[in-house]
Amino acid sequence: MKKETQIVSAGRKKAFTHGVVNPVVQRASTIVFDTVADMKHAVINRANHTLFYGRRGTTTHFALQDAISELENGAGCALYPSGAAAISNAILSFVKTGDHILMVDTAYEPTRDFCRVILQNMGVETTYYDPLIGEGIKALIRHNTRILFLESPGSISMEVQDVPLLASIAHEHNMLVMLDNTYGNGFHFRPLDFGVDISIQAATKYIVGHSDVMMGVAVANDKHWPQLRENSYLMGQCTSADDAYLALRGLRTLAVRLQQHEKSALKIADWLSAHPLVDHVRHPALPTCPGHEFFKRDFQGSNGLFSFVMKEGTQDAINAFLDALHHFKMGYSWGGFESLVTANLTLSHLRTATGWQHGPLIRIHVGLEDTDDLIEDLAQALTIYQQNI
């Protein structure tokens, strides 16, 4: 089955749809039982898509979990109220006091904050590593290193990691491998096929696709699914049936949306590459992006998110540029139908192992607007940027 067909049909068992196209929205906290035998059956099978209690999920949640598991080729999917919750609870499900984890230096900022505050207070130590470290990761592994955490491409600066190499090394040292796959989305990249044990996404982004739901998902392989499932449940993680329904609705159009995001972003990336103020473009599909060779080898496509680095600039220039934009709105998310932008004069404050030796970086998410309108918007804002350097 092709992936385009898979995302339309996944999670649509008759037990979930009751004869209609979409799974019903089943809201519930308490599940009631007719007999003691029925209740005992629910207790025994509570981990296997059996109605037991609202926090375990309803048929709406089960449909989404089935669909995402199939999309990511995993054994099971846990649902969380945000992408940050998916990351933090996945990690917490597998670490204890005295453990050590290896965290990619380009990780999502809330992931870094979680390591700095929560894990540090728990007595779990974090070491950051260069996303392009390759074989050099061996030198950072300790006897108590429990998790190797990847994010590919990396947040903001978009470095692409050699996932199969890093996963192979980690497994040689009995480490668990997790990857933030929000960019790869399960359609363009399936981490579990490349040696990753747990693939995590902020479903808020491309799965939902309409900027109206906060949700995270984590898909595990057979070996690690029971522990992820049970520990996430013990930490009280759950989502609403209405949000699960909206995520399923978004999933059905994922392929066509990604196709348009990719086409528009590549056109704008090519235009930016030729702009005299731009030093280089960090779009994973372009050779100017660090780790492009791994993207070309492992990914099936790109989307609307990429960055570009300016030759020079000041904070005043950045502020003037952002204020001048009309179609690109300032916002910290991405993956929706709207175009967004953020900018950083430097990334030094977000780097531990690698630093930042380049000029100002601007990250954009190209939405579904007309690309000529978006280019015109960028062009006039870059003119104002130049006037304020």
Side-chain angles (χ1 to χ4, degrees):
M1 187 187 301
K2 300 295 184 181
K3 287 184 291 185
E4 290 83 356
T5 303
Q6 186 179 41
I7 63 172
V8 171
S9 61
R12 291 177 60 196
K13 295 177 181 176
K14 288 185 178 180
F16 305 149
T17 62
H18 299 282
V20 298
V21 173
N22 293 305
V24 298
V25 181
Q26 187 179 48
R27 306 177 187 90
S29 56
T30 302
I31 310 297
V32 295
F33 306 95
D34 293 331
T35 67
V36 172
D38 288 343
M39 179 175 278
K40 287 183 176 179
H41 177 270
V43 171
I44 293 170
N45 294 281
R46 63 187 181 274
N48 300 312
H49 288 178
T50 297
L51 291 173
F52 165 75
Y53 182 66
R55 184 152 54 89
R56 278 284 184 182
T58 67
T59 57
T60 317
H61 300 92
F62 302 157
L64 178 60
Q65 289 171 308
D66 264 14
I68 301 298
S69 295
E70 187 172 334
L71 177 68
E72 292 258 23
N73 200 21
C77 171
L79 304 179
Y80 306 87
S82 68
I87 292 168
S88 60
N89 281 268
I91 294 174
L92 287 173
S93 293
F94 292 91
V95 295
K96 64 183 183 304
T97 299
D99 282 347
H100 170 249
I101 71 170
L102 290 172
M103 175 63 63
V104 62
D105 204 28
T106 52
Y108 176 51
E109 187 175 359
T111 304
R112 296 178 67 93
D113 292 341
F114 168 75
C115 294
R116 177 178 56 83
V117 178
I118 304 297
L119 290 187
Q120 182 175 310
N121 288 340
M122 286 178 54
V124 176
E125 188 177 355
T126 301
T127 297
Y128 292 92
Y129 67 92
D130 185 334
L132 303 177
I133 195 170
E135 293 276 357
I137 196 72
K138 295 177 181 178
L140 301 179
I141 298 174
R142 307 175 187 175
H143 72 279
N144 60 336
T145 305
R146 177 69 176 120
I147 293 173
L148 174 65
F149 197 100
L150 305 92
E151 182 177 320
S152 184
S155 285
I156 305 178
S157 51
M158 309 303 294
E159 292 91 338
V160 184
Q161 298 188 260
D162 190 343
V163 174
L165 172 65
L166 293 169
S168 176
I169 293 171
H171 290 152
E172 289 173 3
H173 293 80
N174 298 314
M175 294 164 57
L176 175 68
V177 182
M178 298 182 181
L179 185 145
D180 184 338
N181 192 41
T182 305
Y183 184 99
N185 58 70
F187 189 81
H188 284 150
F189 184 59
R190 288 175 166 171
L192 272 63
D193 293 348
F194 292 83
V196 171
D197 298 301
I198 298 177
S199 174
I200 303 164
Q201 287 192 57
T204 306
K205 310 299 194 291
Y206 280 120
I207 290 176
V208 171
H210 291 77
S211 302
D212 53 6
V213 171
M214 298 290 293
M215 184 179 291
V217 299
V219 177
N221 57 19
D222 287 303
K223 180 179 180 180
H224 296 97
W225 169 236
Q227 185 167 338
L228 176 69
R229 179 191 65 220
E230 295 307 310
N231 285 1
S232 294
Y233 178 74
L234 289 174
M235 288 184 281
Q237 295 303 306
C238 58
T239 61
S240 78
D242 296 270
D243 286 349
Y245 176 87
L246 289 173
L248 278 165
R249 186 188 66 176
L251 182 66
R252 306 310 180 194
T253 62
L254 179 65
V256 292
R257 287 187 287 107
L258 286 174
Q259 184 179 28
Q260 187 59 55
H261 284 300
E262 178 180 44
K263 179 181 177 181
S264 297
L266 284 170
K267 179 178 178 179
I268 292 173
D270 287 338
W271 179 83
L272 285 166
S273 296
H275 196 284
L277 294 178
V278 175
D279 182 75
H280 67 281
V281 173
R282 290 185 167 225
H283 188 304
L286 299 183
T288 49
C289 187
H292 164 72
E293 64 273 24
F294 307 130
F295 181 86
K296 186 176 180 181
R297 182 192 66 192
D298 299 339
F299 282 69
Q300 300 301 308
S302 59
N303 54 51
L305 189 72
F306 70 94
S307 299
F308 56 99
V309 178
M310 307 302 290
K311 292 178 180 177
E312 58 179 333
T314 63
Q315 190 62 56
D316 286 343
I318 290 173
N319 293 346
F321 169 81
L322 294 173
D323 287 346
L325 289 166
H326 301 295
H327 298 304
F328 285 91
K329 308 299 184 183
M330 283 180 277
Y332 291 108
S333 192
W334 48 276
F337 55 82
E338 76 287 0
S339 291
L340 294 173
V341 60
T342 60
N344 293 271
L345 183 62
T346 178
L347 297 180
S348 296
H349 62 296
L350 298 174
R351 297 291 182 267
T352 302
T354 54
W356 182 254
Q357 307 302 322
H358 306 283
L361 181 144
I362 298 170
R363 190 189 75 173
I364 61 175
H365 176 256
V366 178
L368 302 179
E369 303 93 341
D370 181 83
T371 50
D372 290 336
D373 288 339
L374 295 177
I375 288 173
E376 182 180 344
D377 195 22
L378 288 169
Q380 60 86 23
L382 285 170
T383 299
I384 294 174
Y385 179 96
Q386 186 174 29
Q387 294 169 354
N388 285 270
I389 293 177

